[in-house]
Amino acid sequence: MADRHPEHEHMEHDHMNIPKYLGIFMILVVGTILTYFAATVDLDFIFPGANTLLALLIAFTKMAFVMLFFMHVYWSPKLIWLSAIASFFWLAIMFAYTMQDYFTRGSGVFTG
Amino acid sequence: MQSADAIGGNVYDKPKMNYLTNGSTLKSWLLTKDHKRIALMYLISVSAFFMMGGLYAAAIRLELLTPNSDLMESGTYNKAFTQHGVLMIFFFLIPSIPAVLGNFLLPIMIGAKDLALPRINLLSLYFYWIGGGLALFALMQGGVDTGWTFYTPYSTTFSNTFVMAVGLGIFINGFSSILTGLNFIVTVHTMRAPGMTWFRLPLFVWAQYATSLVMILGTPVIAITILLLAIERVAHVGIFDPAIGGDPILFQHLFWFYSHPAVYIMILPGMGVISELISNFSRKKIFGYEFIAFSSIAIAVFGFLVWGHHMFVSGQSIYAGLVFSFLTMVVAVPSAIKMFNWTATLYKGSVSFDTPMLYAIGFMGLFLIGGLTGLFLGSIGLTVHLTDTYFVVAHFHYVMVGGQVIAYLGGIHYWWPKMTGKMYSEFWGKISAMLVFIGFNLTFFPQFILGYQGMPRRYASYPAELQVLNIFSTAGASVLGVGLVMPVVYMVHSLFYGKPAGDNPWMLPGLEWRTASPPPTENFEKMPVVTWEAYEFGEENGLDLEEAKRRDLAVVS
C-alpha cells in the first residue's frame, strides 16, 4: 500500500532541477522585498487594514510556492493534497471564529 | 484456514524470543525502534509524572481540609495547583493512552510489524523526555504560578516565576505529540495487513486515528502561542499586552484553539479503550460500529469549533458566545451516540465483571456526569454563575479522571497480560477498581455542590460554612490515592510472581489476541490475513473458543 511509487520520484526528477529550485528561491526573495516596500506605503486610503491584507497575500503566495515545489506537494498523491488543504481549512477556522469575536464585540443590542 | 492460528485449532510454534527478551542492555532499550519497548518506556515515564502530579493534588487537598491557608501560603498554593495541572495535563493525560497503549497496540491490532516510522517514534519519546525534564527542572528552580492555562497578563506583565522554562518544556513536548500523531496516521494508511479494511479496524484504532488528526492540527497552535508569548516578553512586540498594542483575550483564543481540542486528545483514546472493553466483555459484536467510528471523527472535527465556551465571561463578544454555546451543544451529540451504542451493546450481552470491565462500567457512569455537567457550563446564562468555581473543577475531573484515567486504567488492566505475559491478581484488581470509583466520587461530587454554592477555585482559604464538604472531598482523595497506588503494587508483583497469562486470557477475537504474550519483536510469526469482521465472536471467523480455552488452561497450569 505504499503511497510513494517509483513513477512519482521519476516525475519529480523530471520536473525539478537546480535552476528551477533557484528560480523558486528568487521568487521568494522578490516576495520578501515586495513585502518590505508594500509596508512603507500607507494603503489605508483603499480600506483600513489594506496593508495587512497585502502582506498576507504575498506571504500566502510565497508559502504556496514552498509547499508546492520545495515540499513536492505538486507531484504528491491526492491524500497529501488533502492533508495540505485541510491544514489551511483549520487555519481558516481559527481566524474566522477568532475574528467573529473581534468584529462583533460591543455591537448591536449588546453594546455594554 | 484463515490466520486465526493463535486462538483457533492450529497450534503454532511458540516464538523463541519475545520483545522483552530480545536484548537486555541499556543500549538495546534506549536505541530501540520496537514500538512495544518504546511504549513500555512511555508507561514508566507517564506513571512517574502521574505520581508527581498526584503528590501536588494531595498537597492541595490537605490545604483545603481547613478554611484557613495554614499548610501553605497563597503564593505556594498557586504554584501547587499550577504544577499539578501542568504535570497532569501535558505530561500524563495527553500522552498516556496514545503513547503507551496506542504505541503498543496499534501496529498489532492492524497486523503490522511496527509503526511506519520507528525512528520518528523513538524521537518522539526523546522529545517527551527533554520537554518533561525541562519542565521538572523549572519546577525545581521555583516553579510557576500562572495556572496551567498560562493566561496573560499572569504569564507576561505580572509574571515573576519560571514561565518561559516551563513553556519551553511544553513547546518541546508538543513535538512529541505531533510526531506520534503523524506516525499513527501514516501507519493506519499504509501498514494494514491484507484483509484489514477500514471497517474491520478495531474501534480503538479509529479513536487513535481521530486523536492523531487533532494532535497534528491543533498542537502547532499551542507551540506558536508559546512562541508569541516569548516574543512579547523578549522583544516587547505588542501581541497580548494592551499597553503596547496587544490584546490579552487573543491569548485565550489561541490557547483554547488548541487546549479545548486537547481535551479530546485526552478523552477520545479513552473512548476507544471503552469500546473495546464493552464489546469484548459483553462477548457481543458492538452495536453501531460505523456510528461509533464516525462519531470519533465528528468529535475530532467539532471539537475545534467550541473553544470560545471557555471565554464566556472574558469580554468576548456576546454574539461569538452565542455561536460557541450552540456548537458546544452540537459536540455533545457524537459523545451521546457513543454512550447509547455502548449501552445497546451491553443489552442482552453475556457480561462478565472482570477488572477491566469494572473500569469500563465506571467510565460510563462518570463520563455521563462529566459530559452532562459540561452542558451546564456551555449554557451561556448559567455559566456566568458557575465560571471559576469548584463546579468547573468537578466537571473537568469527572471527564478527565472519571473518563480518561479510568479508561487508561481499564486499558492497562485489559492488555497487561498481552504486554507482560503475566496475569495480575483479579481479586486485588477488583478491590482497587472499586476503591478508585468510590474514592473518586467522594472526592469530586461534593465539589459540584461547593461550586454551585459559590466556592471559587484557586484559593487556599474559603468560608468556614463550606468546610464539611471539603472534608468529604479530602477524605475521598485519600481513598482514591490508595486505589491508584494498589495497581502499581499488584502489577509489579505480577511481573515476578504472576501466573502465565496465556496468549488469549480473555478469549477474544481481536488480532492482538492471536499472537503470543508477550508478542515477538515483529509481532506475528507470519503476516496475518484478516478474513473476519471486527468483534465477531464465534467459530465462523476461525475462533474456536472451546479449543482456545482448553489450550490456555493447559498453558496456565
Side-chain angles (χ1 to χ4, degrees):
Chain A
M1 280 202 221
D3 268 5
R4 219 172 150 69
H5 301 292
E7 314 81 272
H8 282 133
E9 289 177 20
H10 184 64
M11 281 167 67
E12 280 173 30
H13 234 43
D14 282 351
H15 283 97
M16 289 306 284
N17 49 34
I18 298 289
K20 285 181 180 171
Y21 277 124
L22 285 175
I24 302 289
F25 178 68
M26 284 314 295
I27 292 172
L28 299 180
V29 172
V30 170
T32 308
I33 295 167
L34 209 60
T35 310
Y36 171 77
F37 283 109
T40 60
V41 184
D42 188 359
L43 299 175
D44 267 10
F45 68 92
I46 305 173
F47 59 86
N51 280 88
T52 309
L53 187 68
L54 182 62
L56 281 172
L57 280 175
I58 297 170
F60 188 88
T61 311
K62 285 165 64 184
M63 179 206 56
F65 273 102
V66 170
M67 283 184 65
L68 289 173
F69 301 108
F70 280 176
M71 296 173 76
H72 298 182
V73 170
Y74 190 79
W75 298 278
S76 296
K78 283 176 184 166
L79 189 64
I80 304 293
W81 274 89
L82 180 69
S83 310
I85 292 166
S87 309
F88 284 110
F89 182 67
W90 252 253
L91 192 68
I93 289 174
M94 191 178 82
F95 275 103
Y97 280 72
T98 303
M99 294 319 284
Q100 69 158 344
D101 169 26
Y102 285 98
F103 287 147
T104 61
R105 223 181 261 179
S107 62
V109 291
F110 303 104
T111 49
Chain B
M1 172 66 208
Q2 50 267 60
S3 51
D5 300 346
I7 191 172
N10 287 6
V11 178
Y12 63 98
D13 293 330
K14 280 265 182 193
K16 292 186 180 71
M17 198 171 278
N18 64 52
Y19 81 100
L20 290 171
T21 54
N22 188 9
S24 57
T25 60
L26 187 63
K27 186 182 165 191
S28 74
W29 280 87
L30 292 180
L31 296 181
T32 185
K33 295 189 287 293
D34 185 339
H35 64 104
K36 300 178 289 299
R37 284 190 162 206
I38 293 171
L40 278 199
M41 288 190 277
Y42 263 120
L43 173 65
I44 294 165
S45 310
V46 300
S47 301
F49 277 106
F50 185 60
M51 249 177 258
M52 284 183 268
L55 288 177
Y56 281 113
I60 292 166
R61 281 319 318 168
L62 281 175
E63 167 53 50
L64 293 175
L65 197 58
T66 59
N68 301 321
S69 59
D70 31 26
L71 185 66
M72 52 184 118
E73 59 181 15
S74 292
T76 313
Y77 184 78
N78 289 346
K79 288 181 180 175
F81 71 70
T82 300
Q83 286 155 198
H84 166 69
V86 167
L87 292 177
M88 286 299 199
I89 289 170
F90 294 108
F91 298 102
F92 173 72
L93 288 168
I94 289 177
S96 58
I97 297 185
V100 178
L101 297 176
N103 242 331
F104 195 98
L105 292 153
L106 188 135
I108 304 179
M109 283 179 147
I110 64 171
K113 288 180 179 177
D114 204 318
L115 286 169
L117 311 162
R119 287 184 180 83
I120 294 285
N121 196 23
L122 184 63
L123 182 65
S124 80
L125 174 66
Y126 278 93
F127 274 141
Y128 175 77
W129 279 345
I130 294 168
L134 204 62
L136 280 182
F137 174 75
L139 299 191
M140 283 187 285
Q141 291 299 304
V144 62
D145 67 353
T146 57
W148 76 272
T149 51
F150 295 98
Y151 272 8
T152 52
Y154 303 129
S155 55
T156 50
T157 318
F158 302 110
S159 164
N160 54 3
T161 51
F162 291 81
V163 171
M164 281 330 300
V166 177
L168 186 60
I170 293 168
F171 181 86
I172 293 170
N173 185 46
F175 285 96
S176 169
S177 265
I178 294 169
L179 294 182
T180 300
L182 187 70
N183 220 338
F184 285 0
I185 289 176
V186 177
T187 304
V188 174
H189 275 276
T190 61
M191 304 273 286
R192 283 174 283 123
M196 180 56 88
T197 60
W198 280 88
F199 290 104
R200 283 177 176 168
L201 288 174
L203 288 166
F204 178 75
V205 175
W206 271 98
Q208 292 295 335
Y209 185 82
T211 307
S212 303
L213 291 176
V214 184
M215 279 173 163
I216 61 170
L217 288 168
T219 313
V221 178
I222 190 75
I224 289 165
T225 309
I226 294 169
L227 205 60
L228 290 174
L229 204 68
I231 290 169
E232 180 170 288
R233 285 170 61 113
V234 174
H236 302 289
V237 177
I239 300 166
F240 307 122
D241 183 359
I244 48 175
D247 177 13
I249 296 179
L250 179 63
F251 179 86
Q252 296 190 28
H253 275 299
L254 296 177
F255 179 83
W256 287 115
F257 181 80
Y258 164 74
S259 294
H260 190 77
V263 172
Y264 298 111
I265 294 179
M266 300 178 224
I267 197 67
L268 266 173
M271 290 169 157
V273 172
I274 298 303
S275 296
E276 297 293 317
L277 298 181
I278 295 286
S279 175
N280 288 329
F281 286 94
S282 303
R283 311 206 67 78
K284 192 177 156 201
K285 188 176 170 65
I286 196 144
F287 186 87
Y289 172 95
E290 288 85 359
F291 277 89
I292 295 184
F294 283 119
S295 67
S296 293
I297 304 294
I299 289 173
V301 173
F302 283 113
F304 274 99
L305 306 178
V306 300
W307 78 85
H309 68 214
H310 294 272
M311 302 164 56
F312 283 146
V313 298
S314 68
Q316 174 185 245
S317 153
I318 192 75
Y319 296 105
L322 286 169
V323 173
F324 283 125
S325 180
F326 171 75
L327 290 168
T328 301
M329 303 299 151
V330 173
V331 82
V333 174
S335 299
I337 287 173
K338 286 186 191 293
M339 287 295 291
F340 288 128
N341 282 294
W342 291 330
T343 313
T345 306
L346 288 171
Y347 180 64
K348 289 190 175 174
S350 176
V351 180
S352 57
F353 295 97
D354 296 298
T355 305
M357 187 58 166
L358 291 187
Y359 280 107
I361 293 169
F363 174 99
M364 288 179 70
L366 301 179
F367 181 74
L368 184 71
I369 297 174
L372 289 178
T373 50
L375 296 182
F376 288 44
L377 293 164
S379 304
I380 200 162
L382 187 54
T383 198
V384 176
H385 174 64
L386 298 173
T387 293
D388 272 339
T389 69
Y390 261 82
F391 193 94
V392 178
V393 178
H395 155 72
F396 184 71
H397 283 81
Y398 261 82
V399 177
M400 289 295 102
V401 184
Q404 200 274 359
V405 176
I406 295 275
Y408 175 65
L409 288 171
I412 289 284
H413 282 83
Y414 175 50
W415 283 298
W416 185 259
K418 181 55 59 184
M419 294 165 91
T420 64
K422 295 293 178 67
M423 204 67 195
Y424 52 85
S425 159
E426 259 296 298
F427 173 77
W428 288 112
K430 286 176 179 171
I431 296 284
S432 157
M434 285 187 276
L435 280 180
V436 167
F437 184 79
I438 294 166
F440 173 81
N441 279 295
L442 193 56
T443 309
F444 292 105
F445 199 83
Q447 295 183 6
F448 280 123
I449 305 168
L450 285 167
Y452 199 79
Q453 289 179 341
M455 179 171 165
R457 62 176 179 168
R458 297 180 171 173
Y459 284 89
S461 57
Y462 55 85
E465 61 263 32
L466 300 176
Q467 188 176 10
V468 174
L469 287 171
N470 271 296
I471 290 174
F472 273 121
S473 191
T474 301
S478 314
V479 178
L480 179 60
V482 171
L484 290 172
V485 168
M486 280 174 63
V488 180
V489 177
Y490 63 72
M491 285 182 150
V492 172
H493 178 270
S494 79
L495 289 178
F496 302 102
Y497 307 105
K499 290 177 183 170
D503 296 343
N504 191 0
W506 312 115
M507 306 293 154
L508 298 173
L511 256 185
E512 77 269 34
W513 303 110
R514 299 176 190 237
T515 186
S517 303
T521 299
E522 296 197 329
N523 295 338
F524 299 93
E525 290 296 289
K526 57 184 179 185
M527 167 81 85
V529 179
V530 181
T531 56
W532 60 90
E533 301 302 316
Y535 311 106
E536 281 285 354
F537 291 87
E539 290 177 27
E540 63 275 15
N541 67 355
L543 184 64
D544 184 345
L545 281 179
E546 290 309 313
E547 171 61 23
K549 211 175 280 182
R550 277 194 295 279
R551 259 189 335 104
D552 270 304
L553 280 175
V555 170
V556 172
S557 59

